[in-house]
Amino acid sequence: MTGDTTTTPLPDDTPARARATAPAPPPAPASPPVPRAGGAPGRRRTRRRTRRGARGGARWGPYAHIAPFFVLFGAFGLFPLLFTGWASLHRVELTAPTDMEWVGLRNYARLLTDEFFLNALRNTVTIGILSTVPQLLMALGIAHLLHHRLRGSTFFRVVVLTPYATSVAAATLVFVLLFGRDFGFVNWVLGVVGAGPVDWQNGRWTSRIAVSTIVVWRWTGYNALIYLAALQAVPDELYESAALDGASRWRQFVHVTVPSLRPTILFTVVVSTIGATQLFGEPLLFNGSAGATGGSEHQFQTLGLYLYEQGWVDLHLGRASAIAWAMFLILLLLGAAVALVGAYRRRRTP
């Protein structure tokens, strides 16, 4: 006897009773499920990958967008800065920049007793004050006037910005003619009012004033537009309330405009100070054919001119690098002083 339970299918002519008593055939074994492409598991995996991709894009996308700036800054900003600092610790000439001799801080120590460096530092500070203070005061006044309703305000704004769009070479050439000793327009005006002619280029203070005038003319309009943009955020209700209280335009300027623009004024002071420290084109071109000496007695030679003279005229690349880092350290000290003053004011403000 065998355990084979396989049944033979009954023929169609088998009686119905026999068919009813015949055992039912066993169920066929279930076939394993076949995964279908694009089914529910596949869709879940696709959604998970999409979500991971979206999270990764949201996380790293901003870094990818700003990466080109940092790559360019590293190549053309950070690397030259660090290499200049390294070169400032060596004796190196521009004709052989790869031949470096380690001298430590000798280039910096030399600057402390360098008469020409100290003279350039004094000239830079003097020209910076003579140009920055009038420039920002005039810019404030112009912005205050342009902020009020004025016919043709767009035209005046364009006119104010025009000096900024003028090249430094063209502007300086015009001012060299204006400040000419023999045929200059300024001396002609002084002669009309009875004053004697002034040697603007060879005088110590007159040359500084002339160079400062060029800087003031070029940058006043630019700062005025910065102040004007900041004034757009000042509520008109402040001016209306001041007018109802009987405040004149001058009192509105002193008690509304200036306090509202205090952060912007601080910003322009910092930017103008940085620009004054790097002043180069105006004194170089004002000197004409005399090069980077800043006058026959270095009377208006700035730090930028002295750096250029040391590096590209005298070919002392190590000394020029030390001057560049000294200028950078001066700016850091000024920035730290401004930050301390700001923190002190915030602490005293209730």
Side-chain angles (χ1 to χ4, degrees):
M1 183 176 182
T2 63
D4 187 3
T5 58
T6 303
T7 58
T8 303
L10 298 177
D12 294 338
D13 54 353
T14 306
R17 185 175 180 182
R19 295 172 65 90
T21 56
S31 59
V34 179
R36 293 180 300 177
R43 287 196 296 270
R44 284 196 294 270
R45 285 195 296 272
T46 303
R47 283 197 295 268
R48 283 197 295 269
R49 285 197 294 268
T50 304
R51 284 196 294 269
R52 283 199 297 269
R55 286 197 297 268
R59 182 178 181 182
W60 299 107
Y63 295 100
H65 284 87
I66 63 175
F69 165 77
F70 286 99
V71 170
L72 294 176
F73 174 75
F76 300 103
L78 186 60
F79 173 74
L81 179 67
L82 297 178
F83 182 78
T84 302
W86 178 251
S88 68
L89 303 176
H90 294 77
R91 183 198 306 275
V92 53
E93 300 297 321
L94 186 62
T95 53
T98 57
D99 297 336
M100 293 185 172
E101 178 187 352
W102 175 264
V103 294
L105 298 176
R106 187 183 304 171
N107 286 328
Y108 293 95
R110 178 182 175 278
L111 293 180
L112 298 177
T113 57
D114 186 356
E115 178 184 351
F116 295 102
F117 174 78
L118 298 178
N119 173 69
L121 180 61
R122 286 193 294 269
N123 291 338
T124 301
V125 173
T126 304
I127 295 175
I129 295 174
L130 290 177
S131 60
T132 300
V133 175
Q135 172 192 152
L136 297 184
L137 291 177
M138 293 170 61
L140 264 178
I142 294 173
H144 182 71
L145 293 176
L146 291 177
H147 181 59
H148 292 280
R149 293 179 181 177
L150 190 68
R151 285 187 177 181
S153 58
T154 303
F155 170 76
F156 289 111
R157 292 176 185 180
V158 173
V159 170
V160 164
L161 191 61
T162 300
Y164 173 69
T166 307
S167 72
V168 61
T172 306
L173 177 61
V174 171
F175 275 89
V176 167
L177 297 176
L178 290 176
F179 285 108
R181 184 187 59 184
D182 298 325
F183 304 103
F185 177 75
V186 177
N187 276 345
W188 177 80
V189 173
L190 292 177
V192 170
V193 298
V198 177
D199 191 355
W200 293 97
Q201 194 172 58
N202 293 320
R204 178 167 293 275
W205 280 98
T206 55
S207 60
R208 295 173 180 173
I209 292 174
V211 173
S212 301
T213 304
I214 304 172
V215 179
V216 170
W217 185 81
R218 288 196 67 231
W219 291 96
T220 298
Y222 174 80
N223 288 302
L225 289 187
I226 291 180
Y227 291 147
L228 182 61
L231 277 173
Q232 307 299 320
V234 179
D236 293 334
E237 290 78 7
L238 294 179
Y239 290 100
E240 293 172 359
S241 300
L244 289 175
D245 292 339
S248 61
R249 287 289 180 87
W250 171 251
R251 294 184 67 84
Q252 293 179 24
F253 174 77
V254 173
H255 296 289
V256 178
T257 301
V258 174
S260 302
L261 296 183
R262 190 170 294 157
T264 308
I265 293 173
L266 181 61
F267 168 76
T268 53
V269 168
V270 172
V271 173
S272 299
T273 303
I274 294 174
T277 307
Q278 300 173 346
L279 194 61
F280 177 77
E282 289 85 350
L284 175 68
L285 298 174
F286 187 72
N287 198 23
S289 59
T293 58
S296 57
E297 297 180 356
H298 306 270
Q299 62 268 22
F300 56 93
Q301 186 181 47
T302 60
L303 286 175
L305 280 184
Y306 187 54
L307 183 155
Y308 178 80
E309 183 183 29
Q310 286 292 309
W312 279 263
V313 178
D314 298 338
L315 307 180
H316 301 318
L317 194 58
R319 295 179 187 175
S321 300
I323 296 171
W325 263 86
M327 295 167 63
F328 180 63
L329 294 176
I330 290 172
L331 290 177
L332 287 182
L333 291 176
L334 292 176
V338 171
L340 289 176
V341 171
Y344 176 75
R345 291 182 61 87
R346 286 192 296 272
R347 193 179 303 120
R348 290 179 58 88
T349 302

